Amino acid sequence: MIIVLKSDVTESQIEHVVERLTTLGFQAHLSRGTYRTIVGVIGDEAKLQAEPLAAIPGVAEVVPILPPYKLSSAEAHPEPSVVDVRGVKIGGGYVALIAGPCAIESYEQMDVIAGQVRKAGANILRGGAFKPRTSPYAFQGLAEEGLKMLREIGDKHGMPVVTEVMDPRRVEVVAEYADMLQIGARNMQNFSLLTEVGQTQKPVLLKRGMSATIQDLLMSAEYVLSQGNSQVVLCERGVKGFDDVTRNLYDVAAVPAVRARSHLPIIVDPSHATGRPNLIPPCALAGLAAGADGVHIEVHHCPEKALSDGPQALLPDQYAELADQMRKLVELFGRRISSNPSRAE
Ligand code: PEP
Ligand code: MN
């Protein structure tokens, strides 16, 4: 880290800066220029960045050298990480196709959709049992009853399952049924939830918050990693935009931007990013072309009766057509759709 001092800094302020850094356990190297004095600081940069150094009198600017997300950074781990969801690999050339309804509504609904997405080539089944709804009057999910259905249907169709956990008190029960824990956009900065899932050894699907920067997303991943759970997959699902032609603003550039900064796999969710079925296929393909390690899509066999996110659901046939195109694109890029060892291919 470099600390740039103010042009009118006094000698006693310089001494105080050096003393403060030394007391904190860092080495300070002064470099006096004609107009400015700068201090090179040596020590654990992540700890340094947690200190309010900009508040020391005489300090003009604190310039970090390393990113504050230490464990998630590409510097910490130059090779891409591969996350294993019950045998389905994500990252390092392996692509996940995650599909299923927004919410688990009944055993029959989940069973029909699971069979169809599995046949289309999806390798991980999704479905929400705890739904983060904007309205408290909207369907909130089937809770534990839904988790049981998801587990049973995932096993029946030979697919690992991912579902959202919204409450730190429910992590244990969700982890009992799910192969991967989803942290939704609205909870990306629920730090007690991140800490709690970090204490499990379950893979985590961490969705980008709707107003979160890429650095915010990586700092949230850092919460999970710093608890000892290294199985984190990031997800770009759109950020708040100003145009209601799409539900959110799909930030496809986030994919290569994350790739340049982090070893963690990143997938895209064009369903929540666009909110419009006709926009989902091109945006799914764009995500893969940008280097995404997977695509997360909501599918419903009867969207007009869906209890959550019906207007953005793809029909199973539409999903099957898209899955074919995704497979071709993935192969074109020399990557592969991850096989699913839970079921004979
Ligand atoms: C979901 O996956 O159904 C969901 C609510 O997603 P997000 O958190 O991205 O809005
Ligand atoms: Mn949804």
Side-chain angles (χ1 to χ4, degrees):
M1 175 180 288
I2 291 166
I3 297 178
V4 182
L5 301 179
K6 290 182 178 160
S7 52
D8 60 355
V9 68
T10 64
E11 277 308 313
S12 69
Q13 284 176 330
I14 294 177
E15 266 172 42
H16 177 64
V17 170
V18 173
E19 187 198 307
R20 185 85 195 96
L21 290 164
T22 315
T23 314
L24 289 167
F26 301 105
Q27 283 177 40
H29 296 272
L30 274 186
S31 175
R32 292 173 186 270
T34 312
Y35 302 106
R36 287 292 181 109
T37 295
I38 60 170
V39 190
V41 194
I42 310 222
D44 184 340
E45 176 118 0
K47 282 196 186 135
L48 257 177
Q49 288 184 32
E51 296 294 336
L53 303 175
I56 304 177
V59 170
E61 205 182 337
V62 175
V63 187
I65 307 289
L66 294 174
Y69 42 87
K70 198 170 143 186
L71 302 170
S72 322
S73 73
E75 284 88 354
H77 194 296
E79 290 304 310
S81 282
V82 180
V83 170
D84 190 298
V85 184
R86 224 192 206 198
V88 174
K89 295 192 175 82
I90 311 179
Y94 292 100
V95 173
L97 297 184
I98 305 177
C102 181
I104 302 154
E105 299 167 10
S106 68
Y107 187 93
E108 293 66 35
Q109 168 251 14
M110 207 54 221
D111 190 27
V112 169
I113 299 171
Q116 287 166 324
V117 297
R118 181 67 192 83
K119 192 161 157 247
N123 47 23
I124 299 180
L125 180 64
R126 67 144 283 140
F130 296 98
K131 294 306 305 171
R133 307 307 299 277
T134 304
S135 164
Y137 308 115
F139 176 61
Q140 302 288 308
L142 296 180
E144 192 168 353
E145 196 195 336
L147 294 176
K148 283 185 191 151
M149 290 175 192
L150 183 66
R151 175 77 273 153
E152 213 178 301
I153 291 162
D155 290 344
K156 176 176 168 190
H157 294 277
M159 296 173 88
V161 297
V162 56
T163 194
E164 178 163 356
V165 56
M166 288 167 50
D167 183 332
R169 294 166 300 184
R170 294 271 171 73
V171 169
E172 206 174 319
V173 69
V174 177
E176 193 185 318
Y177 295 101
D179 300 304
M180 185 180 215
L181 306 173
Q182 176 173 322
I183 303 294
R186 292 155 192 81
N187 269 315
M188 189 204 82
Q189 286 186 314
N190 180 338
F191 301 118
S192 31
L193 182 59
L194 296 172
T195 301
E196 203 67 33
V197 298
Q199 287 168 4
T200 74
Q201 285 308 308
K202 289 274 173 176
V204 173
L205 178 59
L206 178 61
K207 298 186 98 181
R208 181 180 182 181
M210 50 194 84
S211 315
T213 62
I214 287 166
Q215 176 154 318
D216 293 337
L217 175 63
L218 291 168
M219 290 308 286
S220 289
E222 196 74 11
Y223 266 87
V224 181
L225 266 60
S226 63
Q227 292 299 311
N229 185 349
S230 57
Q231 301 260 91
V232 176
V233 174
L234 307 170
C235 180
E236 161 57 36
R237 49 76 73 204
V239 289
K240 281 271 181 218
F242 50 83
D243 190 338
D244 62 9
V245 163
T246 58
R247 181 176 175 183
N248 287 297
L249 193 61
Y250 181 39
D251 182 9
V252 78
V255 175
V258 163
R259 173 84 67 247
R261 289 164 174 75
S262 175
H263 56 94
L264 297 174
I266 174 157
I267 69 165
V268 291
D269 171 357
S271 298
H272 293 89
T274 69
R276 313 268 182 266
N278 62 321
L279 304 181
I280 294 170
C283 290
L285 296 169
L288 287 173
D293 300 298
V295 181
H296 172 283
I297 289 183
E298 289 186 348
V299 178
H300 202 288
H301 63 307
C302 187
E304 67 176 53
K305 291 197 180 147
L307 297 181
S308 171
D309 281 349
Q312 72 187 28
L314 283 192
L315 288 162
D317 282 354
Q318 294 172 319
Y319 182 70
E321 193 184 336
L322 172 60
D324 252 7
Q325 294 169 346
M326 292 196 286
R327 201 170 303 112
K328 287 184 191 138
L329 190 63
V330 164
E331 281 165 17
L332 188 69
F333 281 96
R335 295 184 287 151
R336 73 187 90 150
I337 306 288
S338 187
S339 61
N340 178 3
S342 310
R343 185 179 149 133
E345 296 294 312

